[in-house]
Amino acid sequence: MDQSARDRLTKQGWQVGTVSDFLDLSPEETILIEIKLALSRALKERRQQRMTQAELAEKMHSSQPRIAKAENGDASVSIELLLRAILATGASPQEIGRVIGAIE
């Protein structure tokens, strides 16, 4: 949100903050969520270049709806599943490290 929009909202009595503020997340919880979202985005990008959700699900012995949830950042999806799925697309541990390392 740009500063002018923030100023307009504040002048109208709105409080402006982050999702972490709203949900009262600790710094560790915030980073964990950012990691999961980065992995979800990376999975979707890699998978779209290589195979369908159904093909990835078959390769992982999972289901297409589960892959869709993983790609969309569903809270029920574990980091382990995200990592297994990205590895199943052919990613190396170094590529996964770069995804996590790019989080600001």
Side-chain angles (χ1 to χ4, degrees), residues 19-21 25-35:
V19 172
S20 297
D21 295 335
L25 300 176
S26 70
E28 295 81 12
E29 291 169 322
T30 301
I31 292 169
L32 183 62
I33 290 170
E34 289 174 3
I35 289 171

Side-chain angles (χ1 to χ4, degrees), residues 1 4 11-12 15-16 18 21 35 37 54 56-57 79:
M1 172 183 312
S4 64
K11 286 179 185 174
Q12 293 177 6
Q15 284 187 325
V16 179
T18 65
D21 295 335
I35 289 171
L37 291 174
L56 178 57
I79 286 181

Side-chain angles (χ1 to χ4, degrees), residues 79-99:
I79 286 181
E80 179 184 353
L81 179 68
L82 289 168
L83 292 173
R84 285 182 44 233
I86 293 171
L87 289 168
T89 67
S92 68
Q94 292 77 16
E95 290 170 307
I96 293 170
R98 284 191 289 277
V99 168

Side-chain angles (χ1 to χ4, degrees), residues 21-93:
D21 295 335
F22 180 74
L23 296 175
D24 196 28
L25 300 176
S26 70
E28 295 81 12
E29 291 169 322
T30 301
I31 292 169
L32 183 62
I33 290 170
E34 289 174 3
I35 289 171
K36 285 181 78 171
L37 291 174
L39 291 172
S40 293
R41 286 190 294 271
L43 170 60
K44 187 172 188 172
E45 289 172 17
R46 288 188 61 81
R47 196 267 318 148
Q48 286 177 334
Q49 296 170 1
R50 291 163 176 79
M51 62 190 78
T52 66
Q53 288 179 344
E55 290 168 335
L56 178 57
E58 185 176 332
K59 188 173 186 176
M60 294 181 56
H61 306 287
S62 188
S63 67
Q64 179 275 325
R66 194 78 182 135
I67 300 302
K69 285 183 177 188
E71 290 183 354
N72 290 312
D74 189 284
S76 68
V77 175
S78 69
I79 286 181
E80 179 184 353
L81 179 68
L82 289 168
L83 292 173
R84 285 182 44 233
I86 293 171
L87 289 168
T89 67
S92 68

